[in-house]
Amino acid sequence: MQTTTAVDLGNPDLYTTLDRHDRWRAYAAEDAMVWSEPGSSPSGFWSVFSHRACAAVLGPSAPFTSEYGMMIGFDREHPDNSGGQMMVVSEQDQHRKLRKLVGPLLSRAAARKLSERVRAEVSGVLDRVLDGEVCDVAAAIGPRIPAAVVCEILGVPAEDQDMLIDLTNHAFGGEDELFDGMTPRQAHTEILVYFDELISARRASPGEDLVSTLLSDDELSIDDVLLNCDNVLIGGNETTRHAITGAVHAFATVPGLLARVRDGDVDVDTVVDEVLRWTSPAMHVLRVTTGEVTLNGRDLEPGTPVVAWLPAANRDPAVFEDPDTFRPGRKPNRHIAFGHGMHHCLGSALARIELAVVLREVAARVSRVELTKEPSWLRAVVVQGYRELSVRFTGR
Ligand code: HEM
């Protein structure tokens, strides 16, 4: 175990280069616990990196809560004001109720029903990019598919989808200079204004979508409905697009992967899990202790913020052999890319189906994916994401 106060791990500049993995691996290998002084997070925070410690913080019986916030930026004096209302930052009865309401819309059965829609979207995107021109997958492919799916779940009309993708990029893409036109806060406000209008429309004429389902529960306020639409929009778009981009990155860099997927030499669901582990798009989750806890041999007071770094856990050499290598047939693959415990990703079935369809469709229609330059990475701490992934596709 090691502790240090030298570095603010909430500084997004640390994550724009691949040496982030070396740093994380070194911390995970030592089962380190690192304190970041107040800076990126006004209250400071502890960090854990090993698979074991991250699972302990997120585990179902762990004395930790997300109700005061689940991201770096946590401020004890000003806890997350959607705490107790939005699923990902609520606990107990409200959390159970929301999962029960929203779960069926994101279930495996619901995801299966959406798979044809996903296939059509992937196919349409491939029609546009199989022209021999250089294609930035992070902009042209990654965001389209999850956005179309989430909009479908929410009941967002097709004509508004492009606007919502753009706003989501702005709101949750980090402080990257690509998004200078609008601050993340402004973009987030725009999304909520849009949902407010959608809620009024669904109140007048309910459907079978998420907005109507949330509205059907009399105990939920309009604020609750709004926040939980936002939760699904963000959860569904922001991470999945980077996993999809990462799947194309794997096709470009893992020898023989395209042919193996196309010929059925490898189980696609196994490849999906390796994409999730390797890309690990949710970079961290934060929790606050609800009682006295001993973590990695250190006693923590109630009210202490702790960050679990999911990509570090997913490349922990104690759990994953040769962790930096993408192994298409890796089994077992106990990654925690979807988190762990009570807040385990509710959209995981949907994300898996999206990735499986992308892998199958690309393999069926493409004979070669060639990187035209090295990828660049978002300057962000919430997501581990591609800023740009430029490739050239050769059709079959
Ligand atoms: C929660 C990751 C896709 C909706 C989470 C959490 C993680 C995560 C790590 C747990 C957060 C925490 O413990 O505080 C991912 C990744 C995805 C993905 C890596 C894609 C590769 C999706 C999709 C949707 C979605 C497609 C919906 C359409 C949600 C929701 C929660 C959640 C609603 C909150 C669950 C709860 O608090 O009980 N996700 N997610 N996610 N995700 Fe995802």
Side-chain angles (χ1 to χ4, degrees), residues 58 70 87-88 95 99 106 150 153 231-232 235-236 239-240 243 276 281-282 285 287 310 337-339 342-348 350-351 354-355:
L58 302 176
M70 46 74 71
M87 186 189 310
V88 76
H95 181 244
R99 273 190 84 101
L106 306 180
V150 170
I153 291 163
N231 194 163
V232 170
T239 45
T240 318
L276 288 162
V285 284
R287 293 290 188 267
L310 303 180
F338 288 127
M342 303 302 280
H343 291 276
H344 181 271
C345 179
L346 199 57
S348 59
L350 207 48
E354 291 179 44
L355 283 166

Side-chain angles (χ1 to χ4, degrees), residues 169-186:
N169 283 345
H170 283 52
F172 296 92
E175 300 301 320
D176 201 280
E177 73 267 27
L178 278 176
F179 309 134
D180 265 351
M182 193 187 268
T183 65
R185 191 181 290 269
Q186 283 167 332

